[in-house]
Amino acid sequence: MKKITILLLTIITFIACSKNEDTDTIDIPTNQPERPIAQLLPNLTDLNLFVGDIKDLVPSQYAFIYDLNTPLFSDYAHKERFIVLPEGETLTAVGNGMPDFPDNSIIVKTFYFNYDENDLSQGRKIIETRVLIKENGSWLAGDYHWNDTQTQAVLENNAATVPVTFINKAGATLNIDYQIPSNLDCVTCHNNNNQVKPLGPKLRSINFNNQLQTLISNNQITGITDVTTITTLPNWEDDVNYTLEERARAYFDVNCASCHQPGGYCDVQTTLDFRFETPYGNTSIFEHKSEINARMANYQELFSMPLLGTTFVHTEGYYLIKTYLNSL
């Protein structure tokens, strides 16, 4: 009995010492969610990138969710993107382009299709989650393939084909054999001068909808205090605020420039340079306009452009490029 009395007194004393002096209430410790893990582990759930039911795709509270003003076309797949920075670290602005990421940064992009674009209550099919992790100054690429029950995604190095059927906004039913790239394919597009690099979150690509200002306000980026000093890549679908040339050049930049630029995969094969900032006279677009049209007008594996990531012609995108090429 004496031992029990001492134990009770100890507990009461601990609780009393844990009271908040200002409010006279007891402070109860809360469990913080585990931080995401910057490793390419076997299962996506191992990385702590999402909270709750993984198929809901709710990012960790440590994530910064972002979108691109002009996104890459991937057979009409939707994408959800976010960045996770290591604790206490920030991005560092480098002009208008890709910021410098600290080691142990994670970039995540998940691809999915809505079963019915006009009725989202019908659900969606999640296909893959691509992950880039910076380790010792270099980027590692991994691709997680989702299972049919949408309960897990597994790290895979090989390519895969996933049949998808969905209804688009026009009410038409589309059947797609979606191609998940191999790890080698991922490195092909993300490679520049034999180094794997991110492609999407350039500052001028996320400088809209207050995204860049949010990074600044959250102290998640250094080297920039005024978003007006950063340009914005045009939205290729916005024909009100941007010219035909600006829209076409933006489309080329996002869909083609990863390979068609100095140091890119196609650098030694062609003089084309599709980067938006490249002066028109240095792009070789005019000299190659017939070839560009031929490679975009129809889909033919290993010939059509973009070379990877699509399995049919992007009708709206090709119409834009064809109109632009005809204007030259």
Side-chain angles (χ1 to χ4, degrees), residues 29-213:
T30 58
N31 294 323
Q32 292 294 321
E34 293 186 84
R35 291 193 66 89
I37 299 173
Q39 296 179 39
L40 293 175
L41 301 176
N43 297 317
L44 186 60
T45 51
D46 298 334
L47 275 65
N48 298 331
L49 293 170
F50 301 95
V51 295
D53 192 335
I54 190 172
K55 70 180 179 181
D56 293 333
L57 298 180
V58 179
S60 161
Q61 70 175 42
Y62 304 107
F64 173 77
I65 304 170
Y66 71 96
D67 200 1
L68 304 180
N69 207 23
T70 282
L72 175 75
F73 174 71
S74 305
D75 284 358
Y76 295 109
H78 292 277
K79 301 159 193 174
E80 290 192 1
R81 307 170 176 85
F82 62 86
I83 294 167
V84 178
L85 298 174
E87 188 172 9
E89 299 283 353
T90 67
L91 300 170
T92 302
V94 181
N96 295 309
M98 189 66 63
D100 185 29
F101 286 76
D103 278 344
N104 297 315
S105 295
I106 311 172
I107 302 177
V108 182
K109 181 166 66 171
T110 298
F111 295 67
Y112 67 91
F113 289 86
N114 294 318
Y115 287 122
D116 188 340
E117 290 291 349
N118 302 298
D119 183 5
L120 300 185
S121 68
Q122 295 298 314
R124 62 187 174 185
K125 182 177 181 64
I126 309 171
I127 307 294
E128 58 171 322
T129 294
R130 301 179 189 176
V131 177
L132 283 174
I133 296 175
K134 192 172 185 182
E135 183 178 287
N136 297 324
S138 299
W139 287 95
L140 306 177
D143 201 340
Y144 290 83
H145 300 195
W146 283 70
N147 60 19
D148 289 336
T149 57
Q150 309 281 266
T151 56
Q152 185 61 277
V154 178
L155 183 65
E156 296 281 359
N157 288 324
N158 297 322
T161 300
V162 180
V164 178
T165 298
F166 72 98
I167 299 173
N168 65 15
K169 291 183 179 179
T173 299
L174 298 183
N175 298 298
I176 297 174
D177 286 328
Y178 181 88
Q179 302 294 317
I180 299 179
S182 67
N183 190 261
L184 179 60
D185 291 335
C186 291
V187 172
T188 296
C189 285
H190 283 270
N191 187 301
N192 190 276
N193 289 316
N194 298 317
Q195 290 186 329
V196 174
K197 296 185 177 181
L199 297 175
K202 298 180 177 70
L203 296 189
R204 43 86 151 161
S205 296
I206 66 173
N207 189 20
F208 73 106
N209 285 353
N210 211 39
Q211 294 183 117
L212 189 50
Q213 182 58 56

